[in-house]
Amino acid sequence: MSQEPNAASTAEAAQTEGSTTAAEPSIEAKLAEAEARLAEMSDAYLRAKAETENIRRRSEDEMSKARKYAVEAFAEAMLPVMDSMEAAIATPDAKVETVLEGVHATKRQLAAALERNKVLEINPGAGVKFDPHQHQAISMVPAEQEANTVVAVLQKGYLIADRVLRPALVTVSAPK
């Protein structure tokens, strides 16, 4: 009798162990699954890293080209101005009136080229409040207008987009 319970309990234990094996994968199967996931994730990581490096390299190339050719449109706009200057120099015996007319036409060409390239004049009128971001005060003079306002412009300033290339040189009214 004592052997029967042992045989029964051994069979029960084997049955219980068999059902555990069927429900849960073995350690070897779990390890194989983990190694497959690791390989898959490692591959995905390497691909993402390579893609990031490619994007960085393309961005650097684009930035290099942008720096190299940034002035292309501006230079292209300046070529007609240069042509006009060369034409004026090529006619040394022209009348003063003709030369002056050519100079005015060239100035208009230059102004149009600057404007197309977002270079704008800073030319404040008399009485405009002094703006230290766009104006440079050369002197303060007594004047019959509100203090700290522009009295005269000695040299125009210029903006490119919203950035000051050169401030306008101005005289400013002194406080009374």
Side-chain angles (χ1 to χ4, degrees):
M1 274 193 157
S2 65
Q3 287 182 349
E4 276 185 20
N6 280 347
S9 53
T10 306
E12 248 179 57
Q15 191 178 33
T16 309
E17 193 175 301
S19 67
T20 304
T21 307
E24 264 184 54
S26 69
I27 291 179
E28 290 83 17
K30 286 182 181 178
L31 178 61
E33 182 183 328
E35 286 175 343
R37 284 192 67 216
L38 174 64
E40 183 181 313
M41 293 175 102
S42 181
D43 183 57
Y45 167 75
L46 290 174
R47 288 178 188 276
K49 185 176 178 184
E51 181 63 23
T52 302
E53 184 62 25
N54 288 339
I55 289 171
R56 184 192 61 76
R57 197 174 317 115
R58 278 194 302 267
S59 295
E60 283 178 357
D61 288 346
E62 288 174 11
M63 290 296 289
S64 174
K65 286 178 184 175
R67 280 188 209 102
K68 188 175 181 180
Y69 301 112
V71 298
E72 183 177 8
F74 185 73
E76 194 173 295
M78 291 292 114
L79 294 178
V81 177
M82 179 62 119
D83 293 341
S84 295
M85 298 292 278
E86 288 173 347
I89 292 169
T91 54
D93 57 342
K95 293 184 201 170
V96 174
E97 296 81 24
T98 307
V99 172
L100 187 58
E101 186 179 314
V103 168
H104 285 297
T106 303
K107 182 181 181 285
R108 285 191 300 274
Q109 277 183 320
L110 180 59
L114 290 172
E115 191 174 318
R116 274 195 310 274
N117 286 281
K118 311 267 187 292
V119 178
L120 305 173
E121 265 185 15
I122 302 173
N123 190 13
V128 172
K129 184 142 179 72
F130 175 75
D131 179 358
H133 300 291
Q134 293 190 352
H135 309 144
Q136 182 177 345
I138 297 301
S139 64
M140 292 188 92
V141 295
E144 294 298 319
Q145 60 190 48
E146 189 178 328
N148 295 322
T149 57
V150 174
V151 174
V153 177
L154 304 172
Q155 185 180 56
K156 295 176 188 175
Y158 291 90
L159 297 168
I160 186 162
D162 292 326
R163 189 176 192 177
V164 175
L165 286 175
R166 180 178 80 191
L169 300 180
V170 298
T171 55
V172 179
S173 59
K176 295 178 183 179

PDB file of all heavy atoms in Angstrom, residues 35-53:
ATOM      1  N   GLU A  35      16.438  36.760 -26.864  1.00  0.00           N
ATOM      2  CA  GLU A  35      17.543  37.006 -27.782  1.00  0.00           C
ATOM      3  C   GLU A  35      17.020  37.507 -29.137  1.00  0.00           C
ATOM      4  O   GLU A  35      17.617  38.394 -29.750  1.00  0.00           O
ATOM      5  CB  GLU A  35      18.378  35.734 -27.966  1.00  0.00           C
ATOM      6  CG  GLU A  35      19.247  35.437 -26.753  1.00  0.00           C
ATOM      7  CD  GLU A  35      19.998  34.112 -26.876  1.00  0.00           C
ATOM      8  OE1 GLU A  35      19.623  33.268 -27.720  1.00  0.00           O
ATOM      9  OE2 GLU A  35      20.955  33.936 -26.110  1.00  0.00           O
ATOM     10  N   ALA A  36      15.909  36.970 -29.599  1.00  0.00           N
ATOM     11  CA  ALA A  36      15.317  37.429 -30.862  1.00  0.00           C
ATOM     12  C   ALA A  36      14.851  38.881 -30.737  1.00  0.00           C
ATOM     13  O   ALA A  36      15.068  39.697 -31.642  1.00  0.00           O
ATOM     14  CB  ALA A  36      14.149  36.528 -31.256  1.00  0.00           C
ATOM     15  N   ARG A  37      14.216  39.216 -29.610  1.00  0.00           N
ATOM     16  CA  ARG A  37      13.781  40.603 -29.393  1.00  0.00           C
ATOM     17  C   ARG A  37      14.981  41.541 -29.313  1.00  0.00           C
ATOM     18  O   ARG A  37      14.957  42.648 -29.832  1.00  0.00           O
ATOM     19  CB  ARG A  37      12.939  40.714 -28.116  1.00  0.00           C
ATOM     20  CG  ARG A  37      11.538  40.186 -28.311  1.00  0.00           C
ATOM     21  CD  ARG A  37      10.598  40.543 -27.178  1.00  0.00           C
ATOM     22  NE  ARG A  37      10.370  41.987 -27.164  1.00  0.00           N
ATOM     23  CZ  ARG A  37      10.230  42.707 -26.058  1.00  0.00           C
ATOM     24  NH1 ARG A  37      10.261  42.119 -24.884  1.00  0.00           N
ATOM     25  NH2 ARG A  37      10.032  43.997 -26.110  1.00  0.00           N
ATOM     26  N   LEU A  38      16.061  41.072 -28.630  1.00  0.00           N
ATOM     27  CA  LEU A  38      17.273  41.872 -28.520  1.00  0.00           C
ATOM     28  C   LEU A  38      17.862  42.131 -29.910  1.00  0.00           C
ATOM     29  O   LEU A  38      18.245  43.258 -30.230  1.00  0.00           O
ATOM     30  CB  LEU A  38      18.307  41.183 -27.622  1.00  0.00           C
ATOM     31  CG  LEU A  38      19.673  41.863 -27.545  1.00  0.00           C
ATOM     32  CD1 LEU A  38      19.526  43.244 -26.911  1.00  0.00           C
ATOM     33  CD2 LEU A  38      20.650  41.013 -26.765  1.00  0.00           C
ATOM     34  N   ALA A  39      17.923  41.100 -30.729  1.00  0.00           N
ATOM     35  CA  ALA A  39      18.462  41.266 -32.080  1.00  0.00           C
ATOM     36  C   ALA A  39      17.595  42.238 -32.879  1.00  0.00           C
ATOM     37  O   ALA A  39      18.109  43.103 -33.603  1.00  0.00           O
ATOM     38  CB  ALA A  39      18.547  39.910 -32.780  1.00  0.00           C
ATOM     39  N   GLU A  40      16.281  42.106 -32.744  1.00  0.00           N
ATOM     40  CA  GLU A  40      15.356  42.990 -33.456  1.00  0.00           C
ATOM     41  C   GLU A  40      15.519  44.433 -32.993  1.00  0.00           C
ATOM     42  O   GLU A  40      15.601  45.360 -33.806  1.00  0.00           O
ATOM     43  CB  GLU A  40      13.925  42.515 -33.196  1.00  0.00           C
ATOM     44  CG  GLU A  40      12.857  43.284 -33.927  1.00  0.00           C
ATOM     45  CD  GLU A  40      11.467  42.755 -33.585  1.00  0.00           C
ATOM     46  OE1 GLU A  40      11.265  41.523 -33.608  1.00  0.00           O
ATOM     47  OE2 GLU A  40      10.606  43.599 -33.286  1.00  0.00           O
ATOM     48  N   MET A  41      15.607  44.649 -31.691  1.00  0.00           N
ATOM     49  CA  MET A  41      15.761  45.998 -31.143  1.00  0.00           C
ATOM     50  C   MET A  41      17.136  46.574 -31.488  1.00  0.00           C
ATOM     51  O   MET A  41      17.258  47.763 -31.767  1.00  0.00           O
ATOM     52  CB  MET A  41      15.527  46.000 -29.639  1.00  0.00           C
ATOM     53  CG  MET A  41      14.093  45.686 -29.263  1.00  0.00           C
ATOM     54  SD  MET A  41      13.889  45.566 -27.495  1.00  0.00           S
ATOM     55  CE  MET A  41      13.156  47.147 -27.201  1.00  0.00           C
ATOM     56  N   SER A  42      18.154  45.726 -31.464  1.00  0.00           N
ATOM     57  CA  SER A  42      19.492  46.174 -31.820  1.00  0.00           C
ATOM     58  C   SER A  42      19.526  46.615 -33.279  1.00  0.00           C
ATOM     59  O   SER A  42      20.109  47.652 -33.611  1.00  0.00           O
ATOM     60  CB  SER A  42      20.490  45.040 -31.573  1.00  0.00           C
ATOM     61  OG  SER A  42      21.791  45.452 -31.897  1.00  0.00           O
ATOM     62  N   ASP A  43      18.889  45.859 -34.149  1.00  0.00           N
ATOM     63  CA  ASP A  43      18.804  46.218 -35.553  1.00  0.00           C
ATOM     64  C   ASP A  43      18.051  47.539 -35.733  1.00  0.00           C
ATOM     65  O   ASP A  43      18.493  48.421 -36.475  1.00  0.00           O
ATOM     66  CB  ASP A  43      18.110  45.092 -36.339  1.00  0.00           C
ATOM     67  CG  ASP A  43      18.062  45.402 -37.829  1.00  0.00           C
ATOM     68  OD1 ASP A  43      19.135  45.617 -38.425  1.00  0.00           O
ATOM     69  OD2 ASP A  43      16.932  45.424 -38.382  1.00  0.00           O
ATOM     70  N   ALA A  44      16.935  47.695 -35.027  1.00  0.00           N
ATOM     71  CA  ALA A  44      16.152  48.939 -35.115  1.00  0.00           C
ATOM     72  C   ALA A  44      16.976  50.122 -34.613  1.00  0.00           C
ATOM     73  O   ALA A  44      16.947  51.207 -35.203  1.00  0.00           O
ATOM     74  CB  ALA A  44      14.856  48.805 -34.316  1.00  0.00           C
ATOM     75  N   TYR A  45      17.735  49.930 -33.539  1.00  0.00           N
ATOM     76  CA  TYR A  45      18.593  50.983 -33.000  1.00  0.00           C
ATOM     77  C   TYR A  45      19.654  51.392 -34.023  1.00  0.00           C
ATOM     78  O   TYR A  45      19.867  52.579 -34.270  1.00  0.00           O
ATOM     79  CB  TYR A  45      19.254  50.519 -31.701  1.00  0.00           C
ATOM     80  CG  TYR A  45      20.372  51.411 -31.247  1.00  0.00           C
ATOM     81  CD1 TYR A  45      20.114  52.643 -30.669  1.00  0.00           C
ATOM     82  CD2 TYR A  45      21.708  51.034 -31.424  1.00  0.00           C
ATOM     83  CE1 TYR A  45      21.151  53.473 -30.271  1.00  0.00           C
ATOM     84  CE2 TYR A  45      22.746  51.852 -31.035  1.00  0.00           C
ATOM     85  CZ  TYR A  45      22.458  53.076 -30.457  1.00  0.00           C
ATOM     86  OH  TYR A  45      23.473  53.902 -30.075  1.00  0.00           O
ATOM     87  N   LEU A  46      20.315  50.393 -34.619  1.00  0.00           N
ATOM     88  CA  LEU A  46      21.355  50.700 -35.596  1.00  0.00           C
ATOM     89  C   LEU A  46      20.782  51.418 -36.811  1.00  0.00           C
ATOM     90  O   LEU A  46      21.397  52.350 -37.349  1.00  0.00           O
ATOM     91  CB  LEU A  46      22.082  49.414 -36.019  1.00  0.00           C
ATOM     92  CG  LEU A  46      22.971  48.789 -34.944  1.00  0.00           C
ATOM     93  CD1 LEU A  46      23.522  47.452 -35.433  1.00  0.00           C
ATOM     94  CD2 LEU A  46      24.102  49.722 -34.554  1.00  0.00           C
ATOM     95  N   ARG A  47      19.593  51.023 -37.252  1.00  0.00           N
ATOM     96  CA  ARG A  47      18.958  51.700 -38.386  1.00  0.00           C
ATOM     97  C   ARG A  47      18.604  53.144 -38.027  1.00  0.00           C
ATOM     98  O   ARG A  47      18.812  54.066 -38.822  1.00  0.00           O
ATOM     99  CB  ARG A  47      17.709  50.950 -38.829  1.00  0.00           C
ATOM    100  CG  ARG A  47      18.018  49.655 -39.534  1.00  0.00           C
ATOM    101  CD  ARG A  47      16.732  48.917 -39.925  1.00  0.00           C
ATOM    102  NE  ARG A  47      17.012  47.610 -40.432  1.00  0.00           N
ATOM    103  CZ  ARG A  47      17.341  47.340 -41.691  1.00  0.00           C
ATOM    104  NH1 ARG A  47      17.420  48.326 -42.555  1.00  0.00           N
ATOM    105  NH2 ARG A  47      17.587  46.112 -42.072  1.00  0.00           N
ATOM    106  N   ALA A  48      18.068  53.343 -36.817  1.00  0.00           N
ATOM    107  CA  ALA A  48      17.715  54.704 -36.380  1.00  0.00           C
ATOM    108  C   ALA A  48      18.965  55.565 -36.253  1.00  0.00           C
ATOM    109  O   ALA A  48      18.967  56.739 -36.642  1.00  0.00           O
ATOM    110  CB  ALA A  48      16.961  54.647 -35.054  1.00  0.00           C
ATOM    111  N   LYS A  49      20.027  54.984 -35.732  1.00  0.00           N
ATOM    112  CA  LYS A  49      21.289  55.725 -35.594  1.00  0.00           C
ATOM    113  C   LYS A  49      21.835  56.105 -36.969  1.00  0.00           C
ATOM    114  O   LYS A  49      22.279  57.240 -37.181  1.00  0.00           O
ATOM    115  CB  LYS A  49      22.302  54.864 -34.837  1.00  0.00           C
ATOM    116  CG  LYS A  49      23.586  55.570 -34.525  1.00  0.00           C
ATOM    117  CD  LYS A  49      24.499  54.678 -33.697  1.00  0.00           C
ATOM    118  CE  LYS A  49      25.817  55.388 -33.438  1.00  0.00           C
ATOM    119  NZ  LYS A  49      26.762  54.538 -32.724  1.00  0.00           N
ATOM    120  N   ALA A  50      21.784  55.179 -37.922  1.00  0.00           N
ATOM    121  CA  ALA A  50      22.259  55.466 -39.274  1.00  0.00           C
ATOM    122  C   ALA A  50      21.396  56.544 -39.929  1.00  0.00           C
ATOM    123  O   ALA A  50      21.918  57.450 -40.600  1.00  0.00           O
ATOM    124  CB  ALA A  50      22.246  54.192 -40.119  1.00  0.00           C
ATOM    125  N   GLU A  51      20.081  56.482 -39.736  1.00  0.00           N
ATOM    126  CA  GLU A  51      19.186  57.496 -40.309  1.00  0.00           C
ATOM    127  C   GLU A  51      19.472  58.869 -39.711  1.00  0.00           C
ATOM    128  O   GLU A  51      19.502  59.879 -40.427  1.00  0.00           O
ATOM    129  CB  GLU A  51      17.721  57.102 -40.061  1.00  0.00           C
ATOM    130  CG  GLU A  51      16.723  58.071 -40.626  1.00  0.00           C
ATOM    131  CD  GLU A  51      16.763  58.192 -42.146  1.00  0.00           C
ATOM    132  OE1 GLU A  51      17.241  57.265 -42.825  1.00  0.00           O
ATOM    133  OE2 GLU A  51      16.323  59.237 -42.656  1.00  0.00           O
ATOM    134  N   THR A  52      19.715  58.914 -38.406  1.00  0.00           N
ATOM    135  CA  THR A  52      20.042  60.176 -37.739  1.00  0.00           C
ATOM    136  C   THR A  52      21.340  60.747 -38.299  1.00  0.00           C
ATOM    137  O   THR A  52      21.434  61.950 -38.561  1.00  0.00           O
ATOM    138  CB  THR A  52      20.164  59.960 -36.220  1.00  0.00           C
ATOM    139  OG1 THR A  52      18.943  59.428 -35.729  1.00  0.00           O
ATOM    140  CG2 THR A  52      20.485  61.247 -35.494  1.00  0.00           C
ATOM    141  N   GLU A  53      22.319  59.905 -38.506  1.00  0.00           N
ATOM    142  CA  GLU A  53      23.596  60.353 -39.060  1.00  0.00           C
ATOM    143  C   GLU A  53      23.413  60.866 -40.491  1.00  0.00           C
ATOM    144  O   GLU A  53      23.990  61.889 -40.868  1.00  0.00           O
ATOM    145  CB  GLU A  53      24.607  59.198 -39.036  1.00  0.00           C
ATOM    146  CG  GLU A  53      25.988  59.574 -39.502  1.00  0.00           C
ATOM    147  CD  GLU A  53      26.677  60.622 -38.656  1.00  0.00           C
ATOM    148  OE1 GLU A  53      26.351  60.769 -37.461  1.00  0.00           O
ATOM    149  OE2 GLU A  53      27.550  61.322 -39.204  1.00  0.00           O
TER     150      GLU A  53
END
